[in-house]
Amino acid sequence: EEGEEKKEDRMHVLDMQRAQRIHATLATILRLCPRGNTEIFSILASGFPFKLTSLDDQVWYAKQCLSVLRYVPTIQGAVLGLLLDKALEIDVEIKVEEGGGVAIEIDDEEDEEDEMAGLFELEMGDDKKAKKENSVVEDVKVDDMADKLDSIMLLVFQHLSACCKNDVTAPKRLYKIMSPVFDSNILTTHRCKFVQFVMFVICGFDNDI
């Protein structure tokens, strides 16, 4: 078990070193070919993992997107907007019920598939067992999606905090950058429950906003 942990730590270090080399290479390419700065965001957006992809992959990709801002700061608003859009996709699927319970909102096609599966299980006489298994699966789905949402939001908050740490002008600048994202994406999204608090975080860095 200890050997496995050391192996994982070693793999993590290698991944970090590989990422650093990639970023250094990309920064050099963009310095030699400035026109690439206008293309980089569309590439980042198109490659972002789907919401059902593993938590580790989503967090890793989000971190690399934020790392790009070190040498392409002009796309900060676009990258933050991208991360919040991905968080919104997860946010709207997490349904808080009247009794305080939490569930994942599924679409009509998935609902029909679940109903058909339920009918089949009823015919097989395994209704109680199926309900118990479905409940466990639902809990796992909720926890998984909630962890992804928390992780993406935490990365955004950490980035905002780092930006404002030694720059008194940063909060107002970030507020100006994020306001269009809030108005066009967050404010207009039905069932958005958590992502909007990003604006409270920004305002918390400057009482004059």
Side-chain angles (χ1 to χ4, degrees):
E1 185 176 337
E2 185 177 347
E4 287 295 324
E5 289 181 359
K6 288 183 178 180
K7 184 179 178 180
E8 288 180 5
D9 291 340
R10 187 163 60 251
M11 291 298 295
H12 179 69
V13 171
L14 290 174
D15 286 341
M16 292 293 293
Q17 293 174 342
R18 189 180 300 114
Q20 290 173 356
R21 290 196 294 270
I22 292 172
H23 282 294
T25 302
L26 184 56
T28 301
I29 292 173
L30 293 176
R31 188 172 63 252
L32 297 173
C33 183
R35 187 177 179 181
N37 289 306
T38 61
E39 306 291 336
I40 187 67
F41 174 71
S42 61
I43 297 172
L44 293 176
S46 64
F48 205 100
F50 185 58
K51 61 187 174 184
L52 297 182
T53 307
S54 71
L55 171 63
D56 289 341
D57 287 346
Q58 295 225 10
V59 169
W60 178 258
Y61 195 89
K63 283 182 177 179
Q64 304 319 312
C65 287
L66 292 171
S67 294
V68 172
L69 299 182
R70 294 200 303 266
Y71 48 91
V72 194
T74 54
I75 62 171
Q76 183 183 37
V79 168
L80 290 175
L82 172 65
L83 296 186
L84 292 179
D85 280 345
K86 296 303 177 181
L88 273 174
E89 290 179 6
I90 301 173
D91 188 357
V92 297
E93 288 202 359
I94 300 176
K95 180 182 178 182
V96 180
E97 299 171 341
E98 290 185 5
V102 182
I104 296 297
E105 188 80 14
I106 58 177
D107 59 31
D108 293 338
E109 290 184 3
E110 290 175 331
D111 199 17
E112 288 177 6
E113 290 176 1
D114 288 344
E115 287 181 2
M116 292 300 294
L119 288 173
F120 178 74
E121 286 157 357
L122 277 171
E123 292 174 0
M124 296 297 292
D126 294 333
D127 186 35
K128 290 183 179 179
K129 181 181 178 182
K131 284 182 178 178
K132 184 177 180 181
E133 290 176 350
N134 288 339
S135 176
V136 172
V137 171
E138 184 65 25
D139 289 341
V140 171
K141 285 182 180 179
V142 170
D143 290 343
D144 183 52
M145 296 298 273
D147 286 344
K148 291 175 183 177
L149 176 60
D150 289 345
S151 298
I152 293 175
M153 293 302 296
L154 178 60
L155 287 174
V156 172
F157 293 161
Q158 288 174 338
H159 174 77
L160 296 175
S161 179
C163 290
C164 297
K165 188 174 182 180
N166 298 312
D167 185 358
V168 295
T169 66
K172 287 186 173 65
R173 177 174 54 80
L174 289 169
Y175 183 84
K176 187 176 180 180
I177 289 174
M178 297 308 299
S179 288
V181 176
F182 179 78
D183 292 338
S184 62
N185 296 18
I186 299 175
L187 198 61
T188 58
T189 301
H190 182 53
R191 296 203 312 267
C192 174
K193 300 171 291 297
F194 308 110
V195 177
Q196 61 264 39
F197 286 100
V198 68
M199 298 305 291
F200 287 97
V201 172
I202 295 174
C203 292
F205 294 117
D206 190 336
N207 294 329
D208 294 331
I209 294 179

